[in-house]
Every structure is written in structure tokens, then in C-alpha cells.
Short mmCIF file of all heavy atoms in Angstrom, two decimals:
data_model
loop_
_atom_site.label_atom_id
_atom_site.label_comp_id
_atom_site.label_asym_id
_atom_site.label_seq_id
_atom_site.Cartn_x
_atom_site.Cartn_y
_atom_site.Cartn_z
N MET A 1 -17.67 -17.04 -17.74
CA MET A 1 -18.12 -16.10 -16.72
C MET A 1 -17.12 -14.99 -16.51
O MET A 1 -15.96 -15.22 -16.32
CB MET A 1 -18.28 -16.97 -15.44
CG MET A 1 -18.62 -16.22 -14.19
SD MET A 1 -19.00 -17.36 -12.81
CE MET A 1 -17.72 -16.91 -11.68
N PRO A 2 -17.59 -13.72 -16.64
CA PRO A 2 -16.64 -12.63 -16.52
C PRO A 2 -16.04 -12.50 -15.16
O PRO A 2 -16.80 -12.58 -14.16
CB PRO A 2 -17.52 -11.38 -16.93
CG PRO A 2 -18.91 -11.81 -16.63
CD PRO A 2 -18.97 -13.31 -16.81
N ALA A 3 -14.75 -12.33 -15.11
CA ALA A 3 -14.12 -12.23 -13.78
C ALA A 3 -13.31 -10.99 -13.66
O ALA A 3 -12.48 -10.90 -12.72
CB ALA A 3 -13.15 -13.49 -13.61
N SER A 4 -13.59 -9.98 -14.49
CA SER A 4 -12.78 -8.76 -14.42
C SER A 4 -12.95 -8.04 -13.08
O SER A 4 -12.05 -7.33 -12.69
CB SER A 4 -13.19 -7.82 -15.59
OG SER A 4 -14.56 -7.55 -15.52
N GLU A 5 -14.09 -8.23 -12.40
CA GLU A 5 -14.33 -7.52 -11.18
C GLU A 5 -13.70 -8.21 -9.99
O GLU A 5 -13.53 -7.63 -8.95
CB GLU A 5 -15.84 -7.36 -10.97
CG GLU A 5 -16.48 -6.32 -11.85
CD GLU A 5 -15.98 -4.95 -11.57
OE1 GLU A 5 -15.86 -4.55 -10.40
OE2 GLU A 5 -15.65 -4.25 -12.55
N SER A 6 -13.41 -9.54 -10.13
CA SER A 6 -12.92 -10.24 -8.96
C SER A 6 -11.39 -10.17 -8.89
O SER A 6 -10.73 -10.72 -9.75
CB SER A 6 -13.42 -11.71 -8.97
OG SER A 6 -12.75 -12.42 -10.00
N VAL A 7 -10.91 -9.44 -7.91
CA VAL A 7 -9.47 -9.36 -7.69
C VAL A 7 -9.11 -10.38 -6.65
O VAL A 7 -9.78 -10.58 -5.68
CB VAL A 7 -9.10 -7.95 -7.17
CG1 VAL A 7 -7.65 -7.79 -6.99
CG2 VAL A 7 -9.66 -6.91 -8.17
N ARG A 8 -7.96 -11.03 -6.94
CA ARG A 8 -7.53 -12.12 -6.07
C ARG A 8 -6.15 -11.82 -5.47
O ARG A 8 -5.35 -11.12 -6.04
CB ARG A 8 -7.51 -13.46 -6.78
CG ARG A 8 -8.92 -13.92 -7.07
CD ARG A 8 -8.95 -15.26 -7.81
NE ARG A 8 -10.34 -15.62 -8.08
CZ ARG A 8 -11.07 -16.32 -7.12
NH1 ARG A 8 -10.55 -16.72 -6.06
NH2 ARG A 8 -12.29 -16.64 -7.43
N CYS A 9 -5.90 -12.44 -4.34
CA CYS A 9 -4.63 -12.33 -3.64
C CYS A 9 -3.56 -12.87 -4.58
O CYS A 9 -3.72 -13.97 -5.10
CB CYS A 9 -4.68 -13.10 -2.34
SG CYS A 9 -3.08 -13.22 -1.48
N CYS A 10 -2.47 -12.13 -4.72
CA CYS A 10 -1.38 -12.57 -5.66
C CYS A 10 -0.53 -13.65 -5.02
O CYS A 10 0.33 -14.23 -5.67
CB CYS A 10 -0.51 -11.35 -6.08
SG CYS A 10 0.46 -10.60 -4.73
N VAL A 11 -0.73 -13.92 -3.75
CA VAL A 11 0.05 -15.00 -3.02
C VAL A 11 -0.81 -16.30 -2.98
O VAL A 11 -0.32 -17.34 -3.45
CB VAL A 11 0.43 -14.55 -1.64
CG1 VAL A 11 1.22 -15.67 -0.92
CG2 VAL A 11 1.28 -13.29 -1.73
N CYS A 12 -2.00 -16.22 -2.44
CA CYS A 12 -2.74 -17.48 -2.21
C CYS A 12 -3.94 -17.60 -3.10
O CYS A 12 -4.61 -18.64 -3.12
CB CYS A 12 -3.14 -17.60 -0.76
SG CYS A 12 -4.45 -16.43 -0.26
N GLY A 13 -4.33 -16.52 -3.87
CA GLY A 13 -5.47 -16.60 -4.76
C GLY A 13 -6.84 -16.43 -4.12
O GLY A 13 -7.85 -16.59 -4.81
N ALA A 14 -6.86 -16.03 -2.87
CA ALA A 14 -8.16 -15.81 -2.17
C ALA A 14 -8.85 -14.56 -2.78
O ALA A 14 -8.09 -13.61 -3.12
CB ALA A 14 -7.96 -15.64 -0.70
N PRO A 15 -10.13 -14.59 -2.96
CA PRO A 15 -10.83 -13.37 -3.39
C PRO A 15 -10.65 -12.28 -2.35
O PRO A 15 -10.72 -12.53 -1.16
CB PRO A 15 -12.32 -13.81 -3.57
CG PRO A 15 -12.42 -15.10 -2.86
CD PRO A 15 -11.06 -15.69 -2.68
N LEU A 16 -10.50 -11.08 -2.85
CA LEU A 16 -10.18 -9.94 -1.97
C LEU A 16 -11.40 -9.01 -1.76
O LEU A 16 -12.21 -8.85 -2.67
CB LEU A 16 -9.02 -9.11 -2.50
CG LEU A 16 -7.73 -9.83 -2.69
CD1 LEU A 16 -6.68 -8.93 -3.32
CD2 LEU A 16 -7.23 -10.37 -1.35
N VAL A 17 -11.46 -8.40 -0.60
CA VAL A 17 -12.46 -7.34 -0.36
C VAL A 17 -11.77 -6.01 -0.57
O VAL A 17 -10.49 -5.90 -0.50
CB VAL A 17 -13.02 -7.48 1.07
CG1 VAL A 17 -13.73 -8.82 1.25
CG2 VAL A 17 -11.96 -7.29 2.13
N PRO A 18 -12.51 -4.94 -0.78
CA PRO A 18 -11.89 -3.64 -1.07
C PRO A 18 -10.92 -3.16 0.03
O PRO A 18 -9.92 -2.54 -0.30
CB PRO A 18 -13.09 -2.73 -1.15
CG PRO A 18 -14.26 -3.62 -1.66
CD PRO A 18 -13.98 -4.96 -1.01
N ASP A 19 -11.20 -3.50 1.26
CA ASP A 19 -10.30 -3.03 2.36
C ASP A 19 -8.91 -3.68 2.20
O ASP A 19 -7.91 -3.10 2.51
CB ASP A 19 -10.87 -3.47 3.70
CG ASP A 19 -11.91 -2.49 4.21
OD1 ASP A 19 -12.08 -1.43 3.58
OD2 ASP A 19 -12.53 -2.75 5.23
N GLU A 20 -8.88 -4.96 1.71
CA GLU A 20 -7.57 -5.62 1.58
C GLU A 20 -6.81 -5.00 0.43
O GLU A 20 -5.58 -4.80 0.54
CB GLU A 20 -7.76 -7.11 1.30
CG GLU A 20 -8.36 -7.80 2.53
CD GLU A 20 -8.81 -9.20 2.25
OE1 GLU A 20 -9.40 -9.45 1.12
OE2 GLU A 20 -8.69 -10.07 3.15
N ILE A 21 -7.49 -4.57 -0.65
CA ILE A 21 -6.83 -3.90 -1.71
C ILE A 21 -6.29 -2.59 -1.26
O ILE A 21 -5.18 -2.18 -1.55
CB ILE A 21 -7.83 -3.74 -2.88
CG1 ILE A 21 -8.23 -5.09 -3.44
CG2 ILE A 21 -7.25 -2.85 -3.98
CD1 ILE A 21 -9.39 -5.07 -4.43
N ALA A 22 -7.11 -1.82 -0.51
CA ALA A 22 -6.73 -0.55 -0.02
C ALA A 22 -5.53 -0.66 0.94
O ALA A 22 -4.59 0.15 0.90
CB ALA A 22 -7.91 0.16 0.67
N LEU A 23 -5.56 -1.68 1.78
CA LEU A 23 -4.47 -1.86 2.72
C LEU A 23 -3.13 -2.20 2.04
O LEU A 23 -2.14 -1.71 2.43
CB LEU A 23 -4.87 -2.95 3.71
CG LEU A 23 -4.00 -3.04 5.00
CD1 LEU A 23 -4.24 -1.76 5.82
CD2 LEU A 23 -4.44 -4.26 5.86
N THR A 24 -3.22 -3.02 1.02
CA THR A 24 -2.01 -3.33 0.23
C THR A 24 -1.49 -2.05 -0.37
O THR A 24 -0.22 -1.79 -0.29
CB THR A 24 -2.30 -4.35 -0.91
OG1 THR A 24 -2.88 -5.50 -0.40
CG2 THR A 24 -1.01 -4.71 -1.65
N ARG A 25 -2.33 -1.21 -0.90
CA ARG A 25 -1.89 0.05 -1.49
C ARG A 25 -1.21 0.96 -0.41
O ARG A 25 -0.19 1.56 -0.64
CB ARG A 25 -3.05 0.83 -2.08
CG ARG A 25 -3.53 0.20 -3.41
CD ARG A 25 -4.19 1.31 -4.26
NE ARG A 25 -4.35 0.84 -5.64
CZ ARG A 25 -5.54 0.62 -6.17
NH1 ARG A 25 -6.63 0.83 -5.46
NH2 ARG A 25 -5.67 0.17 -7.38
N LYS A 26 -1.85 0.98 0.75
CA LYS A 26 -1.42 1.88 1.79
C LYS A 26 -0.10 1.40 2.43
O LYS A 26 0.78 2.20 2.61
CB LYS A 26 -2.51 1.91 2.88
CG LYS A 26 -2.22 2.89 3.98
CD LYS A 26 -2.66 4.30 3.54
CE LYS A 26 -2.41 5.31 4.70
NZ LYS A 26 -2.63 6.67 4.22
N LEU A 27 0.04 0.13 2.60
CA LEU A 27 1.20 -0.41 3.34
C LEU A 27 2.36 -0.77 2.41
O LEU A 27 3.50 -0.74 2.82
CB LEU A 27 0.77 -1.66 4.15
CG LEU A 27 -0.22 -1.43 5.26
CD1 LEU A 27 -0.53 -2.74 5.94
CD2 LEU A 27 0.28 -0.39 6.25
N ILE A 28 2.09 -1.17 1.19
CA ILE A 28 3.18 -1.68 0.32
C ILE A 28 3.50 -0.63 -0.75
O ILE A 28 4.63 -0.17 -0.88
CB ILE A 28 2.78 -3.05 -0.26
CG1 ILE A 28 2.68 -4.05 0.85
CG2 ILE A 28 3.87 -3.48 -1.27
CD1 ILE A 28 2.33 -5.44 0.39
N ASN A 29 2.49 -0.32 -1.57
CA ASN A 29 2.77 0.53 -2.71
C ASN A 29 1.44 1.12 -3.18
O ASN A 29 0.50 0.44 -3.56
CB ASN A 29 3.40 -0.31 -3.83
CG ASN A 29 3.69 0.47 -5.07
OD1 ASN A 29 3.40 1.67 -5.16
ND2 ASN A 29 4.33 -0.15 -6.00
N ARG A 30 1.42 2.45 -3.21
CA ARG A 30 0.23 3.19 -3.65
C ARG A 30 -0.20 2.77 -5.03
O ARG A 30 -1.38 2.77 -5.34
CB ARG A 30 0.55 4.67 -3.60
CG ARG A 30 -0.61 5.57 -3.86
CD ARG A 30 -1.39 5.80 -2.57
NE ARG A 30 -2.53 6.70 -2.83
CZ ARG A 30 -3.04 7.50 -1.89
NH1 ARG A 30 -2.55 7.49 -0.68
NH2 ARG A 30 -4.03 8.27 -2.18
N GLY A 31 0.74 2.43 -5.91
CA GLY A 31 0.40 2.09 -7.25
C GLY A 31 0.41 0.58 -7.51
O GLY A 31 0.56 0.16 -8.66
N ALA A 32 0.22 -0.20 -6.44
CA ALA A 32 0.31 -1.67 -6.58
C ALA A 32 -0.72 -2.18 -7.57
O ALA A 32 -1.85 -1.71 -7.66
CB ALA A 32 0.05 -2.30 -5.22
N GLN A 33 -0.32 -3.12 -8.39
CA GLN A 33 -1.25 -3.78 -9.33
C GLN A 33 -1.62 -5.20 -8.85
O GLN A 33 -2.50 -5.78 -9.30
CB GLN A 33 -0.56 -3.87 -10.67
CG GLN A 33 -0.23 -2.58 -11.35
CD GLN A 33 -1.49 -1.74 -11.64
OE1 GLN A 33 -2.44 -2.25 -12.25
NE2 GLN A 33 -1.45 -0.47 -11.34
N GLN A 34 -0.87 -5.68 -7.89
CA GLN A 34 -1.13 -6.98 -7.26
C GLN A 34 -1.38 -6.77 -5.82
O GLN A 34 -0.70 -6.00 -5.17
CB GLN A 34 0.06 -7.96 -7.47
CG GLN A 34 0.29 -8.32 -8.95
CD GLN A 34 1.33 -9.42 -9.08
OE1 GLN A 34 2.37 -9.28 -8.55
NE2 GLN A 34 0.96 -10.45 -9.76
N PHE A 35 -2.33 -7.46 -5.28
CA PHE A 35 -2.74 -7.24 -3.91
C PHE A 35 -2.73 -8.54 -3.12
O PHE A 35 -2.70 -9.63 -3.67
CB PHE A 35 -4.19 -6.66 -3.93
CG PHE A 35 -4.29 -5.50 -4.89
CD1 PHE A 35 -4.90 -5.64 -6.11
CD2 PHE A 35 -3.82 -4.26 -4.51
CE1 PHE A 35 -5.03 -4.59 -6.95
CE2 PHE A 35 -3.93 -3.19 -5.39
CZ PHE A 35 -4.53 -3.39 -6.67
N GLN A 36 -2.68 -8.37 -1.77
CA GLN A 36 -2.70 -9.54 -0.93
C GLN A 36 -3.84 -9.51 0.06
O GLN A 36 -4.33 -8.45 0.47
CB GLN A 36 -1.34 -9.54 -0.15
CG GLN A 36 -0.09 -9.71 -0.98
CD GLN A 36 1.18 -9.77 -0.20
OE1 GLN A 36 1.19 -10.29 0.93
NE2 GLN A 36 2.26 -9.32 -0.78
N CYS A 37 -4.24 -10.69 0.45
CA CYS A 37 -5.36 -10.82 1.37
C CYS A 37 -4.79 -10.53 2.76
O CYS A 37 -3.60 -10.40 3.02
CB CYS A 37 -5.95 -12.20 1.33
SG CYS A 37 -4.88 -13.51 1.94
N MET A 38 -5.67 -10.40 3.74
CA MET A 38 -5.29 -10.08 5.14
C MET A 38 -4.35 -11.10 5.67
O MET A 38 -3.35 -10.72 6.32
CB MET A 38 -6.59 -10.05 5.92
CG MET A 38 -6.51 -9.15 7.15
SD MET A 38 -6.56 -7.43 6.74
CE MET A 38 -8.32 -7.14 6.68
N ASP A 39 -4.55 -12.39 5.45
CA ASP A 39 -3.68 -13.37 5.99
C ASP A 39 -2.26 -13.28 5.44
O ASP A 39 -1.27 -13.37 6.16
CB ASP A 39 -4.21 -14.80 5.65
CG ASP A 39 -5.45 -15.21 6.49
OD1 ASP A 39 -5.62 -14.54 7.57
OD2 ASP A 39 -6.11 -16.07 6.09
N CYS A 40 -2.17 -13.05 4.13
CA CYS A 40 -0.85 -12.94 3.49
C CYS A 40 -0.12 -11.65 3.86
O CYS A 40 1.08 -11.66 4.06
CB CYS A 40 -0.97 -13.08 1.98
SG CYS A 40 -1.48 -14.75 1.52
N LEU A 41 -0.92 -10.55 3.97
CA LEU A 41 -0.33 -9.33 4.48
C LEU A 41 0.22 -9.51 5.92
O LEU A 41 1.34 -9.03 6.28
CB LEU A 41 -1.34 -8.19 4.50
CG LEU A 41 -1.63 -7.52 3.14
CD1 LEU A 41 -2.78 -6.62 3.27
CD2 LEU A 41 -0.40 -6.77 2.59
N ALA A 42 -0.50 -10.23 6.75
CA ALA A 42 -0.11 -10.45 8.15
C ALA A 42 1.21 -11.21 8.16
O ALA A 42 2.11 -10.89 8.93
CB ALA A 42 -1.19 -11.14 8.94
N SER A 43 1.31 -12.29 7.33
CA SER A 43 2.56 -13.03 7.36
C SER A 43 3.69 -12.24 6.70
O SER A 43 4.84 -12.39 7.11
CB SER A 43 2.36 -14.42 6.70
OG SER A 43 2.03 -14.27 5.39
N PHE A 44 3.39 -11.46 5.71
CA PHE A 44 4.37 -10.56 5.09
C PHE A 44 4.99 -9.65 6.13
O PHE A 44 6.23 -9.45 6.19
CB PHE A 44 3.73 -9.82 3.96
CG PHE A 44 4.67 -8.95 3.17
CD1 PHE A 44 5.53 -9.45 2.21
CD2 PHE A 44 4.77 -7.55 3.45
CE1 PHE A 44 6.38 -8.59 1.44
CE2 PHE A 44 5.67 -6.71 2.77
CZ PHE A 44 6.49 -7.25 1.78
N PHE A 45 4.15 -9.05 6.92
CA PHE A 45 4.66 -8.05 7.93
C PHE A 45 4.98 -8.75 9.29
O PHE A 45 5.48 -8.08 10.16
CB PHE A 45 3.62 -6.94 8.14
CG PHE A 45 3.52 -6.00 6.97
CD1 PHE A 45 2.44 -6.02 6.13
CD2 PHE A 45 4.57 -5.12 6.74
CE1 PHE A 45 2.36 -5.18 5.01
CE2 PHE A 45 4.51 -4.26 5.66
CZ PHE A 45 3.43 -4.25 4.81
N GLY A 46 4.65 -10.03 9.41
CA GLY A 46 4.95 -10.68 10.67
C GLY A 46 4.09 -10.20 11.84
O GLY A 46 4.54 -10.09 12.95
N CYS A 47 2.85 -9.80 11.49
CA CYS A 47 1.92 -9.33 12.51
C CYS A 47 0.66 -10.12 12.45
O CYS A 47 0.49 -11.01 11.60
CB CYS A 47 1.69 -7.85 12.40
SG CYS A 47 0.75 -7.40 10.92
N SER A 48 -0.30 -9.80 13.32
CA SER A 48 -1.61 -10.53 13.27
C SER A 48 -2.56 -9.83 12.40
O SER A 48 -2.43 -8.62 12.11
CB SER A 48 -2.13 -10.57 14.78
OG SER A 48 -2.51 -9.28 15.17
N THR A 49 -3.59 -10.58 11.94
CA THR A 49 -4.61 -9.98 11.16
C THR A 49 -5.45 -8.97 12.00
O THR A 49 -5.95 -7.99 11.45
CB THR A 49 -5.56 -11.00 10.58
OG1 THR A 49 -6.15 -11.80 11.63
CG2 THR A 49 -4.88 -11.88 9.58
N GLY A 50 -5.48 -9.15 13.34
CA GLY A 50 -6.16 -8.24 14.18
C GLY A 50 -5.52 -6.85 14.08
O GLY A 50 -6.22 -5.87 14.12
N LEU A 51 -4.15 -6.85 14.05
CA LEU A 51 -3.47 -5.55 14.00
C LEU A 51 -3.80 -4.86 12.65
O LEU A 51 -3.99 -3.66 12.62
CB LEU A 51 -1.97 -5.80 14.07
CG LEU A 51 -1.09 -4.53 14.06
CD1 LEU A 51 -1.32 -3.70 15.31
CD2 LEU A 51 0.35 -4.88 13.90
N LEU A 52 -3.88 -5.66 11.55
CA LEU A 52 -4.24 -5.08 10.32
C LEU A 52 -5.66 -4.50 10.32
O LEU A 52 -5.90 -3.41 9.73
CB LEU A 52 -4.13 -6.15 9.17
CG LEU A 52 -2.68 -6.64 8.94
CD1 LEU A 52 -2.71 -7.74 7.88
CD2 LEU A 52 -1.77 -5.51 8.49
N GLN A 53 -6.56 -5.21 10.97
CA GLN A 53 -7.92 -4.67 11.13
C GLN A 53 -7.90 -3.34 11.86
O GLN A 53 -8.63 -2.39 11.46
CB GLN A 53 -8.79 -5.67 11.86
CG GLN A 53 -9.02 -6.99 11.21
CD GLN A 53 -10.05 -6.92 10.12
OE1 GLN A 53 -10.61 -5.91 9.81
NE2 GLN A 53 -10.36 -8.06 9.47
N GLU A 54 -7.07 -3.24 12.89
CA GLU A 54 -6.95 -1.98 13.60
C GLU A 54 -6.42 -0.90 12.74
O GLU A 54 -6.82 0.23 12.80
CB GLU A 54 -6.06 -2.18 14.83
CG GLU A 54 -6.67 -2.83 16.00
CD GLU A 54 -5.66 -3.02 17.15
OE1 GLU A 54 -4.79 -2.15 17.31
OE2 GLU A 54 -5.79 -3.99 17.89
N LYS A 55 -5.43 -1.26 11.88
CA LYS A 55 -4.81 -0.32 10.98
C LYS A 55 -5.88 0.26 10.01
O LYS A 55 -5.92 1.42 9.70
CB LYS A 55 -3.70 -0.94 10.18
CG LYS A 55 -2.40 -1.11 10.97
CD LYS A 55 -1.77 0.29 11.11
CE LYS A 55 -0.58 0.26 12.03
NZ LYS A 55 -0.16 1.59 12.39
N ILE A 56 -6.76 -0.66 9.48
CA ILE A 56 -7.75 -0.28 8.55
C ILE A 56 -8.73 0.73 9.24
O ILE A 56 -9.04 1.78 8.68
CB ILE A 56 -8.56 -1.49 8.05
CG1 ILE A 56 -7.74 -2.31 7.14
CG2 ILE A 56 -9.87 -1.07 7.36
CD1 ILE A 56 -8.32 -3.67 6.73
N ALA A 57 -9.09 0.42 10.49
CA ALA A 57 -9.99 1.32 11.21
C ALA A 57 -9.29 2.70 11.45
O ALA A 57 -9.94 3.70 11.35
CB ALA A 57 -10.37 0.66 12.55
N GLN A 58 -8.02 2.59 11.72
CA GLN A 58 -7.28 3.86 11.97
C GLN A 58 -7.16 4.72 10.72
O GLN A 58 -7.42 5.91 10.77
CB GLN A 58 -5.83 3.42 12.49
CG GLN A 58 -4.99 4.57 12.94
CD GLN A 58 -3.57 4.06 13.26
OE1 GLN A 58 -3.38 2.94 13.66
NE2 GLN A 58 -2.55 4.94 13.04
N PHE A 59 -6.78 4.09 9.59
CA PHE A 59 -6.68 4.81 8.35
C PHE A 59 -8.05 5.41 7.94
O PHE A 59 -8.14 6.55 7.49
CB PHE A 59 -6.21 3.93 7.21
CG PHE A 59 -4.80 3.48 7.35
CD1 PHE A 59 -4.40 2.19 7.06
CD2 PHE A 59 -3.81 4.38 7.80
CE1 PHE A 59 -3.08 1.76 7.22
CE2 PHE A 59 -2.47 3.93 7.92
CZ PHE A 59 -2.11 2.68 7.63
N ARG A 60 -9.10 4.62 8.20
CA ARG A 60 -10.45 5.11 7.89
C ARG A 60 -10.83 6.31 8.72
O ARG A 60 -11.40 7.27 8.21
CB ARG A 60 -11.40 3.94 8.04
CG ARG A 60 -12.84 4.30 7.67
CD ARG A 60 -13.65 3.04 7.64
NE ARG A 60 -13.70 2.41 6.28
CZ ARG A 60 -13.52 1.18 6.08
NH1 ARG A 60 -13.31 0.31 7.04
NH2 ARG A 60 -13.60 0.68 4.85
N ARG A 61 -10.51 6.20 10.00
CA ARG A 61 -10.81 7.39 10.89
C ARG A 61 -10.04 8.60 10.49
O ARG A 61 -10.49 9.74 10.63
CB ARG A 61 -10.40 7.02 12.36
CG ARG A 61 -11.49 6.30 13.12
CD ARG A 61 -11.25 6.39 14.64
NE ARG A 61 -9.89 5.98 15.01
CZ ARG A 61 -9.52 4.74 15.28
NH1 ARG A 61 -10.43 3.75 15.17
NH2 ARG A 61 -8.32 4.45 15.61
N GLN A 62 -8.84 8.40 9.92
CA GLN A 62 -8.02 9.51 9.46
C GLN A 62 -8.58 10.11 8.18
O GLN A 62 -8.10 11.12 7.69
CB GLN A 62 -6.56 9.10 9.23
CG GLN A 62 -5.81 8.76 10.51
CD GLN A 62 -4.49 8.08 10.28
OE1 GLN A 62 -4.20 7.73 9.11
NE2 GLN A 62 -3.73 7.92 11.30
N GLY A 63 -9.54 9.40 7.56
CA GLY A 63 -10.12 9.89 6.33
C GLY A 63 -9.35 9.55 5.12
O GLY A 63 -9.44 10.25 4.06
N CYS A 64 -8.53 8.49 5.19
CA CYS A 64 -7.74 8.06 4.01
C CYS A 64 -8.63 7.74 2.85
O CYS A 64 -9.59 6.95 2.97
CB CYS A 64 -6.87 6.85 4.39
SG CYS A 64 -5.90 6.22 2.94
N ALA A 65 -8.31 8.32 1.67
CA ALA A 65 -9.18 8.21 0.54
C ALA A 65 -9.20 6.80 -0.05
O ALA A 65 -10.11 6.44 -0.82
CB ALA A 65 -8.76 9.22 -0.55
N LEU A 66 -8.21 5.96 0.32
CA LEU A 66 -8.16 4.60 -0.22
C LEU A 66 -9.27 3.75 0.37
O LEU A 66 -9.65 2.75 -0.22
CB LEU A 66 -6.79 3.98 0.09
CG LEU A 66 -5.58 4.56 -0.67
CD1 LEU A 66 -4.33 3.95 -0.12
CD2 LEU A 66 -5.71 4.28 -2.13
N PHE A 67 -9.74 4.08 1.55
CA PHE A 67 -10.69 3.29 2.25
C PHE A 67 -12.08 3.87 2.09
O PHE A 67 -12.30 5.05 2.47
CB PHE A 67 -10.33 3.15 3.72
CG PHE A 67 -9.00 2.39 3.91
CD1 PHE A 67 -7.81 3.13 3.91
CD2 PHE A 67 -8.97 1.06 4.09
CE1 PHE A 67 -6.57 2.45 4.07
CE2 PHE A 67 -7.77 0.35 4.20
CZ PHE A 67 -6.57 1.09 4.22
N ALA A 68 -12.99 3.12 1.60
CA ALA A 68 -14.34 3.59 1.48
C ALA A 68 -14.92 3.88 2.87
O ALA A 68 -14.76 3.04 3.76
CB ALA A 68 -15.25 2.54 0.77
N PRO A 69 -15.57 4.96 3.00
CA PRO A 69 -16.16 5.28 4.36
C PRO A 69 -17.31 4.31 4.68
O PRO A 69 -18.00 3.86 3.82
CB PRO A 69 -16.70 6.73 4.16
CG PRO A 69 -16.80 6.94 2.70
CD PRO A 69 -15.83 6.05 2.04
N LEU A 70 -17.40 4.03 5.98
CA LEU A 70 -18.44 3.11 6.40
C LEU A 70 -19.79 3.89 6.41
O LEU A 70 -19.76 5.09 6.70
CB LEU A 70 -18.14 2.59 7.79
CG LEU A 70 -16.95 1.64 7.91
CD1 LEU A 70 -16.79 1.28 9.40
CD2 LEU A 70 -17.23 0.36 7.12
N PRO A 71 -20.80 3.21 6.12
CA PRO A 71 -22.14 3.90 6.21
C PRO A 71 -22.40 4.32 7.65
O PRO A 71 -22.10 3.57 8.61
CB PRO A 71 -23.16 2.88 5.76
CG PRO A 71 -22.45 1.55 5.73
CD PRO A 71 -20.95 1.88 5.68
N GLU A 72 -22.97 5.51 7.82
CA GLU A 72 -23.27 6.00 9.17
C GLU A 72 -24.32 5.10 9.81
O GLU A 72 -25.29 4.75 9.18
CB GLU A 72 -23.68 7.42 9.14
CG GLU A 72 -22.67 8.43 8.63
CD GLU A 72 -21.58 8.67 9.68
OE1 GLU A 72 -21.86 8.51 10.84
OE2 GLU A 72 -20.44 9.03 9.22
N GLU A 73 -24.11 4.82 11.06
CA GLU A 73 -25.12 4.05 11.78
C GLU A 73 -26.17 5.00 12.40
O GLU A 73 -25.76 5.96 13.07
CB GLU A 73 -24.49 3.18 12.88
CG GLU A 73 -23.91 1.91 12.36
CD GLU A 73 -24.99 0.95 11.83
OE1 GLU A 73 -25.96 0.70 12.58
OE2 GLU A 73 -24.88 0.45 10.75
ZN1 LIG B 1 -3.46 -14.44 0.37
#
């Protein structure tokens, strides 16, 4: 089964969503080749996943190109 599309957390192996990949790039390294899930990013930074969710919303509002825009409601 081809798995080239499924990116996984480099710490715990959880499948990642695009926001988690974008957040790793934004917070750790723009050129990152390994990414972390929300839980592992939260423990890495010693913050809550809720704060990371807020950061994602904030970056998205700023129009950061790493984060795919949400469909308009
Ligand atoms: Zn993880």
C-alpha cells in the first residue's frame, strides 16, 4: 500500500494533518523534513495543545502561506 502521502510524527508516529506540518515549519524550522503532531509540539514547547490551536488560527488570520486557508462559510 503506497504511503508516500502519509506523513507521520517523528516522535510518536501519529499520522499528521497539514496544520501540524505547517505549525512545525512555522515554529521550529521552515525547512523541516520531520514533523511533530500537536501533542508532541505541545510537550516540546511546554504549552497546551489549545495554545497551539490558537497559534494556528492566528497565523492563518495573518495570511501565513504555510497554512491552507479555510473555506469561506
Ligand atoms: Zn507525536
Side-chain angles (χ1 to χ4, degrees):
M1 173 172 120
S4 58
E5 286 296 313
S6 71
V7 181
R8 289 180 179 273
C9 173
C10 67
V11 178
C12 72
L16 298 178
V17 298
D19 279 352
E20 291 168 326
I21 294 169
L23 196 63
T24 303
R25 285 209 168 112
K26 187 81 180 173
L27 296 179
I28 296 181
N29 180 356
R30 187 84 179 209
Q33 298 294 316
Q34 292 187 308
F35 309 102
Q36 296 184 30
C37 69
M38 206 74 86
D39 285 343
C40 293
L41 282 172
S43 63
F44 182 81
F45 288 108
C47 67
S48 68
T49 55
L51 182 69
L52 294 178
Q53 296 281 3
E54 281 179 31
K55 283 285 174 195
I56 289 173
Q58 186 186 330
F59 292 139
R60 182 169 269 132
R61 275 199 307 276
Q62 291 168 353
C64 177
L66 291 172
F67 296 87
L70 291 177
E72 297 286 334
E73 279 292 312

